[in-house]
Amino acid sequence: VEAVILELLLRANGSEGGISGKAMSLSNLDAYLHKVEQLALWVAVTKPASAKRTLKIFEFLDAIEEEEKEGGDASKIEAISQEDKSSLREALVVSEFGATASGKKIAIALLKRLNAFVLAQKGSASGESINTSGDAYLEFILPKKASKKAWGNEWPDKEEQAQWINKLGNFALISNKATARESNMSFSEKKERLSKEV
């Protein structure tokens, strides 16, 4: 995916990768980079075979080249198909992001991007978000070791807890690492503490 970004930057600059030395418009570059982000998310979450991933990247670059030859309307190009988008949605729901270190990194990246998107949609003048440049930590809302006393009413079924503990919806992005006591707070206490992160 990095090669796609480099190729787009070269084309935007009018360098060797571009069509007859003509620079790509900045609006097209922005639109294509958004589509690269979709492609990167699809690769990271669905983990396609190397051959499929490579084919998808070259098809995307070929489509960009063809579109740029015809006048360059970035809205006509898709990095991933509707079928790929469906598999991505499915993978976002079923993936156990909290079970591995790499899954947690993907979850942090997703939550940072989601945070930036929500703030942009709200029209945040400062563009401020939760620690997007430095360290960010994942907080398990339902703790991995939820006590019956603190979580018995909200999540009485241990099997249901195990089913949801590592899912994306069980995470909050925080700027300061939580202490063990904070991580194991009851839902109402945790909700109050996390509301101060926003």
Side-chain angles (χ1 to χ4, degrees), residues 69-90:
K69 282 180 186 175
E70 294 175 16
D73 183 0
S75 67
K76 294 180 180 178
I77 304 295
E78 290 297 330
I80 58 176
S81 66
Q82 287 302 321
E83 181 182 330
D84 295 331
K85 289 177 183 180
S86 293
S87 67
L88 176 58
R89 280 186 212 96
E90 169 92 14

Side-chain angles (χ1 to χ4, degrees), residues 122-197:
K122 287 184 175 181
S124 175
S126 65
E128 201 174 320
S129 62
I130 298 174
N131 200 11
T132 57
S133 61
D135 290 336
Y137 302 94
L138 276 185
E139 171 83 18
F140 283 79
I141 297 170
L142 169 65
K144 283 194 167 208
K145 296 179 182 176
S147 70
K148 187 167 179 109
K149 179 181 175 189
W151 285 87
N153 291 335
E154 283 85 0
W155 289 91
D157 186 346
K158 288 286 186 189
E159 286 181 24
E160 192 177 11
Q161 284 181 10
Q163 178 185 354
W164 293 103
I165 195 79
N166 290 310
K167 303 290 191 214
L168 190 59
N170 188 42
F171 300 129
L173 188 64
I174 59 174
S175 55
N176 295 310
K177 194 167 187 173
T179 65
R181 183 185 125 14
E182 290 171 331
S183 292
N184 293 317
M185 290 176 160
S186 69
F187 180 69
S188 59
E189 292 171 312
K190 196 172 271 200
K191 188 171 142 183
E192 183 179 329
R193 182 175 66 82
L194 293 175
S195 70
K196 295 175 185 170
E197 281 282 338

Side-chain angles (χ1 to χ4, degrees), residues 12-38:
N13 192 32
S15 298
E16 291 181 26
I19 307 302
S20 67
K22 180 182 168 196
M24 177 186 296
S25 74
L26 291 180
S27 61
N28 274 356
L29 176 64
D30 186 51
Y32 290 137
L33 287 174
H34 174 71
K35 292 165 193 282
V36 170
E37 186 176 36
Q38 291 176 345

